[in-house]
Amino acid sequence: MLPVKKSRGACNLPTADQFAMKILFLDQSGKPGGAELCLLDIAKHYRDRCLVALFADGTFREQLEANQIPVQVLTTQAINVRKGSNMLQGFIGLGQLAPVIVKTVQLARSFDVIYANTQKALVVGAIAHFVTHRPLVYHLHDILSADHFSSTNQRLIVYLANHFTKLVIANSKASAESFIQAGGDPKKVEIIYNGFSPELYQNHLSEVPKLRQELGSAQQFVVGHFSRLSPWKGQHILLEALQHCPANVVAWFVGDALFGETAYKQQLQQQVEDLGLGDRVRFLGFRLDVPQLMAACDLVAHTSTAPEPFGRVIVEAMLCGTPIVASAAGGVTELIEPGQTGWLTPPGEAHKLAEIIHQCLADPDRARAIAQAAQTSASQRFHLDAVNQQIDRVLQGI
Ligand code: UDP
């Protein structure tokens, strides 16, 4: 570590700023999923002494650059290992990772800490740690379960985390518990929720009428869904629920098939046609103006059918002051106090979701009061400054 400030007195303990720890962040994705957007906020805090090394090029690099965060893309070759990959596919993938490993080892020598933000990053980071002896931190953004990972991949993550990391930052209690249940070392785990800058999500109300007009929903009740299009994110559940709602209830789907789920995208379009919902559904694709769009919704629906590790969109809806209904599984139950800061429905149950939409339609004052309570609570619980302090503290600890 490089001391940058002189101590003000012999008895003063060093503050976070006094040790300018240089951090090499590793992330496998060129596209901005939730794990990447969380990393973006953390890396902003360290932008003068970090590098984000990506294993793929894409719009995430552009977002990092737009925020003046140093970034380097380590390969342009696609690495074909998925969360569900078996042992053989894993070995083939390791071969494809070889150039990335070589570059990471070279880079790691100039940094104090290696910070792996995704699963492949953990594999590469573990090897770089083994060679360079730089401490390795793993930020776990996943629930280790059969819903999301093959058993080979679960075992690999746990083995690498237990043997090579100094610290595992879990993004929720649910993620931490799944790691420990899969054999992960509980002593290494710190639970730190994602952090957000509340001001980015507030004060967009003046833009709402124009946006709703542009999207043809000036007079309708808009239910927004903000997520990449993927079967387990459950966009089809909201479509099913729409059938049981009055005709003035419409849905905006914000997000795209980021990780190759184009068949699901087509399936959703077919479902819209089959259910005759063409004039009540809009697919808006991937958008950078999520706060403005959320502010323009009457309700945000989260419909994941498998346990969500955290669910950034839930906190974002709260910060925007828009009522939120979410699937009660995984980290989501840590974010919402039902009836106080939002609503929870059983995953996959379209009828229950439709019931909540009906309630919000029937009693908008109550929905508004719940959304306001959620906004106040989320601005405190998930404030980026506090989260960055927590991360600073645990990194100092290693
Ligand atoms: N998001 C976005 N544009 C879109 C759709 C989603 O920027 O068109 C963002 C969204 O605001 C959230 C993130 O993508 O910050 C998704 O994170 P979440 O934890 O909800 O899901 P994940 O992608 O991690 O499964």
Side-chain angles (χ1 to χ4, degrees):
M1 275 185 268
L2 311 170
V4 288
K5 273 191 194 167
K6 284 200 180 135
S7 172
R8 283 171 300 230
C11 58
N12 283 350
L13 286 174
T15 64
D17 279 353
Q18 283 172 299
F19 287 109
M21 182 184 282
K22 293 176 73 187
I23 307 177
L24 176 62
F25 293 105
L26 303 177
D27 192 292
Q28 69 199 48
S29 180
K31 296 176 184 169
E36 286 68 36
L37 294 172
C38 171
L39 172 61
L40 180 77
D41 281 330
I42 296 171
K44 272 185 208 168
H45 181 61
Y46 296 102
R47 56 160 72 91
D48 58 341
R49 50 193 161 111
C50 81
L51 174 69
V52 179
L54 301 178
F55 306 173
D57 199 3
T59 53
F60 180 42
R61 173 189 45 79
E62 291 164 16
Q63 281 179 274
L64 288 161
E65 283 171 351
N67 283 280
Q68 293 86 44
I69 296 165
V71 54
Q72 190 173 327
V73 178
L74 301 188
T75 181
T76 47
Q77 193 199 339
I79 300 161
N80 299 315
V81 194
R82 296 195 168 270
K83 287 177 173 178
S85 294
N86 60 29
M87 191 95 78
L88 178 65
Q89 291 161 326
F91 276 120
I92 296 169
L94 200 58
Q96 292 171 332
L97 278 177
V100 172
I101 293 169
V102 172
K103 284 186 188 159
T104 304
V105 167
Q106 284 166 355
L107 287 171
R109 295 189 198 284
S110 311
F111 289 86
D112 300 307
V113 179
I114 305 167
Y115 191 116
N117 198 52
T118 56
Q119 191 208 351
K120 281 175 217 165
L122 174 64
V123 175
V124 173
I127 298 171
H129 156 76
F130 185 75
V131 179
T132 65
H133 304 292
R134 298 299 189 272
L136 174 65
V137 174
Y138 176 41
H139 199 144
L140 175 67
H141 295 276
D142 290 297
I143 289 189
L144 296 188
S145 72
D147 288 315
H148 298 287
F149 290 95
S150 67
S151 57
T152 307
N153 272 345
Q154 286 181 51
R155 282 200 298 272
L156 180 69
I157 292 171
V158 168
Y159 178 83
L160 295 175
N162 283 354
H163 290 85
F164 295 94
T165 67
K166 272 264 191 246
L167 169 72
V168 175
I169 297 175
N171 66 350
S172 65
K173 280 189 202 129
S175 296
E177 278 161 15
S178 76
F179 173 73
I180 294 163
Q181 217 159 25
D185 180 354
K187 292 193 292 299
K188 296 203 169 183
V189 182
E190 286 278 349
I191 297 164
I192 302 184
Y193 292 133
N194 282 207
F196 300 81
S197 302
E199 64 277 9
L200 295 183
Y201 296 89
Q202 287 157 10
N203 304 319
H204 293 296
L205 288 181
S206 59
E207 299 152 67
V208 167
K210 187 166 166 268
L211 198 48
R212 285 178 68 114
Q213 192 79 43
E214 274 169 20
L215 293 171
S217 302
Q219 304 300 326
Q220 293 161 318
F221 184 93
V222 178
V223 183
H225 192 292
F226 295 76
S227 169
R228 60 200 152 87
L229 304 179
S230 175
W232 78 272
K233 290 291 189 180
Q235 280 87 354
H236 57 283
I237 304 294
L238 176 55
L239 289 179
E240 274 175 46
L242 267 194
Q243 293 178 92
H244 309 293
C245 296
N248 69 327
V249 178
V250 300
W252 294 349
F253 289 95
V254 181
D256 209 345
L258 283 191
F259 303 113
E261 300 96 339
T262 43
Y264 183 61
K265 191 173 174 175
Q266 282 161 10
Q267 182 190 315
L268 290 173
Q269 280 155 351
Q270 188 61 50
Q271 191 183 358
V272 169
E273 211 175 297
D274 294 346
L275 297 176
L277 293 172
D279 55 349
R280 292 172 60 193
V281 173
R282 299 212 54 174
F283 290 98
L284 304 182
F286 186 85
R287 302 274 297 226
L288 290 172
D289 55 348
V290 165
Q292 289 82 346
L293 286 163
M294 279 187 173
C297 292
D298 296 290
L299 176 69
V300 170
H302 164 274
T303 56
S304 293
T305 55
E308 183 80 57
F310 180 77
R312 289 176 59 84
V313 291
I314 294 162
V315 177
E316 289 170 339
M318 289 174 162
L319 292 171
C320 290
T322 304
I324 173 79
V325 52
S327 278
V332 173
T333 56
E334 299 162 45
L335 309 181
I336 292 181
E337 216 181 314
Q340 304 294 318
T341 57
W343 291 266
L344 292 176
T345 55
E349 294 201 17
H351 269 101
K352 297 276 182 200
L353 175 57
E355 269 173 34
I356 302 299
I357 297 173
H358 275 279
Q359 279 183 34
C360 291
L361 268 170
D363 194 348
D365 289 343
R366 178 162 179 257
R368 213 169 297 123
I370 286 179
Q372 271 166 11
Q375 191 177 41
T376 307
S377 146
S379 305
Q380 290 158 7
R381 275 185 84 198
F382 304 102
H383 202 293
L384 185 60
D385 293 347
V387 168
N388 280 338
Q389 273 175 22
Q390 272 181 288
I391 292 182
D392 253 347
R393 182 181 53 75
V394 294
L395 291 183
Q396 296 300 324
I398 64 166

